Amino acid sequence: MQSSQSFRGMRDILPGEVERRSHFLDTIRTVYSSHGFHEIETPIVDSLEILENSGGGENEKLIFKLLKRGEKLQLTDDTSPDDLVDGGLRFDLTVPLCRFYAENAVRLPKPFRSLQIGQVFRAERPQKGRYRQFLQADIDIIGDSTALSEIELLIASGHALHRLGLESFEVRLNDRRALEQILLKQGVGIDQIIGVMVALDKLDKSSPEQVVKEIIARGVDPGVAESLLEALGRASGQHVVDELANAGAEEAILSNLEEIVSKVRGSIHGMGVRIDPLCVRGLGYYTSTVFEYSSPKWGSSIAGGGRYDSMMSRFGLDQPACGVSLGFERIHAVLAGTEGTAGSSSRRNLYLLFDQTEQLGEALAAAREYRKSGFSVILVSHRHGGRSPMKRLASEAEELRRQGAQGEYWFLQLGTDAEPRLLMHG
RNA sequence: GUGGCCGUAGCUCAGUUGGUUAGAGCGUCAGAUUGUGGCUCUGAAGGUCGGGGGUUCGAGACCCCUCGGUCACCCCA
């Protein structure tokens, strides 16, 4: 007998859980739609040519690749793995979006506000809140180079998180160019910048001493490393911007960040916004502003985004772009155990018990009527006078609720009960 | 990709320093009972002890490999 376990890092989703997830997705769609975003769909598979060298950083190493098919799959002594593959599963929604935009720009509004909800794949080692297939919900604005993009994206995504039921969360905002300028000014070599940024990004987890150590290990002069940390360490309180300017960041970049913060701050209940010069975010395609959402209930980020102005140039288009991605699985995990949020479309289930040999026609007619009045009707064939399925139905409803389903459960014995009777409600 | 911990029935777990036919609760199924169904009682089914190899007279317990889970790195949503 074969194992029925799911493939590594993949998982099944039970009915009650799907009900709950659908409700969350409805909320996301409703909120984003109210902010003017248009939903699109892109393929899960793209050519490797597009997926690779996309600035996806580490993610590019995690691509599930697709074997060529038919005649194109030629095995000889000197074929390398790369000769055998030509496609791959997407590791995010941004790369496919850029291809989509380049292909369809003429038929799209300008600037284009895109919403995409879809599965992405990364061949990582699975962990809690980390799967090899997971759902992301992205909004992006293509064709606007001003801070309006960032402001709209932060407000819309904050709105969505709030409506999903997140009580408190924080956005850390930064502009990579600012950090780069500071590093250069402080004496970090241009080829060391990336390594130093990665090390600095760990400051929220590791001690400053460890980070200094790591920076030195990456080839930076110990004196430079020390003064760098000191300069950035100062830039965390009330006067972040002033300190960053002193440390060598350009005024225009900093005032842009200030503008974003001032417009976003206070707009969403429970959302904190602050400039964090150490927020770096991977090292992918982001060119300037980057932001990351965290919840006190979760160790790592639950959403993130930034500006990727040069990405479209791959396709010969010169278009600025900026986006934010919600990590659906992680948000769902953060919300685990909480009650449904406002507007929860809880369904009213009705178990319609009937004798199949005598009451089938009658039952179908009754089912149609109850559907009209808003019930989700579940036909339960049950021979008259037989053991009542009551207990079984109650425990089934209980199980669905455990999985996350909401709603009421009613039952009605055709020919005996005049009205549906409440079995349980959630 | 690297390292630590874990893997017994559908679920939650017992299982003494290796020693007869591997247990419980919940759930499932069957029957009984109950004048209004979810209670109670009885019984049954269900386990290649994740898989493979090894040590041993004997392994669910010990060793190796492998698969899966989990945590920490790495990186990220």
Side-chain angles (χ1 to χ4, degrees), chain A residues 77-336:
Chain A
D77 289 343
D78 51 52
T79 41
S80 73
D82 285 344
D83 298 328
L84 302 175
V85 293
D86 60 358
L89 304 185
R90 62 188 179 191
F91 53 80
D92 74 2
L93 298 177
T94 307
V95 173
L97 172 65
C98 290
R99 188 204 53 73
F100 171 96
Y101 186 82
E103 178 70 10
N104 301 293
V106 290
R107 289 183 289 273
L108 298 171
K110 314 255 178 327
F112 181 50
R113 291 179 178 76
S114 149
L115 162 62
Q116 238 191 131
I117 295 174
Q119 301 284 354
V120 301
F121 303 81
R122 293 180 195 172
E124 290 185 286
R125 190 151 172 177
Q127 243 179 75
K128 195 192 196 81
R130 180 171 183 173
Y131 306 99
R132 293 180 138 191
Q133 173 183 345
F134 58 96
L135 197 61
Q136 287 193 326
D138 276 31
I139 46 172
D140 296 81
I141 299 177
I142 301 175
D144 174 37
S145 60
T146 72
L148 177 61
S149 291
E150 279 87 342
I151 292 167
E152 276 194 73
L153 290 166
L154 287 169
I155 290 176
S157 55
H159 189 184
L161 289 172
H162 175 71
R163 280 287 301 280
L164 284 170
L166 256 80
E167 283 164 5
S168 77
F169 54 96
E170 185 183 55
V171 182
R172 293 183 300 134
L173 173 72
N174 191 24
D175 191 314
R176 281 187 173 183
R177 293 171 300 176
L179 185 54
E180 260 177 48
Q181 287 163 359
I182 292 170
L183 295 184
L184 288 172
K185 176 93 178 282
Q186 299 289 327
V188 176
I190 197 152
D191 51 335
Q192 296 167 333
I193 281 187
I194 288 174
V196 174
M197 279 190 176
V198 169
L200 287 171
D201 199 26
K202 290 177 191 163
L203 259 180
D204 51 340
K205 285 187 241 171
S206 313
S207 69
E209 292 74 28
Q210 284 176 303
V211 172
V212 169
K213 227 170 162 182
E214 185 172 340
I215 291 175
I216 294 169
R218 286 173 187 269
V220 175
D221 181 77
V224 172
E226 292 281 357
S227 68
L228 190 62
L229 237 74
E230 200 186 321
L232 290 168
R234 273 199 304 271
S236 57
Q238 288 292 311
H239 308 291
V240 188
V241 171
D242 294 339
E243 296 295 348
L244 291 177
N246 289 340
E250 193 182 311
E251 295 279 353
I253 291 172
L254 295 173
S255 61
N256 185 55
L257 286 178
E258 275 189 310
E259 166 79 352
I260 296 168
V261 170
S262 72
K263 294 295 180 296
V264 174
R265 185 173 277 165
S267 62
I268 306 290
H269 185 76
M271 176 165 85
V273 188
R274 69 182 169 92
I275 295 173
D276 179 357
L278 299 175
C279 178
V280 178
R281 291 195 45 73
L283 290 153
Y285 32 67
Y286 296 122
T287 49
S288 55
T289 47
V290 288
F291 32 89
E292 189 164 297
Y293 295 62
S294 55
S295 156
K297 291 180 184 169
W298 195 260
S300 51
S301 60
I302 55 171
R307 184 169 276 284
Y308 46 98
D309 284 343
S310 54
M311 194 135 162
M312 220 68 77
S313 65
R314 299 180 66 195
F315 302 104
L317 267 65
D318 180 25
Q319 287 288 336
C322 191
V324 58
S325 176
L326 302 186
F328 187 81
E329 315 298 341
R330 288 184 178 176
I331 292 164
H332 191 261
V334 169
L335 293 171

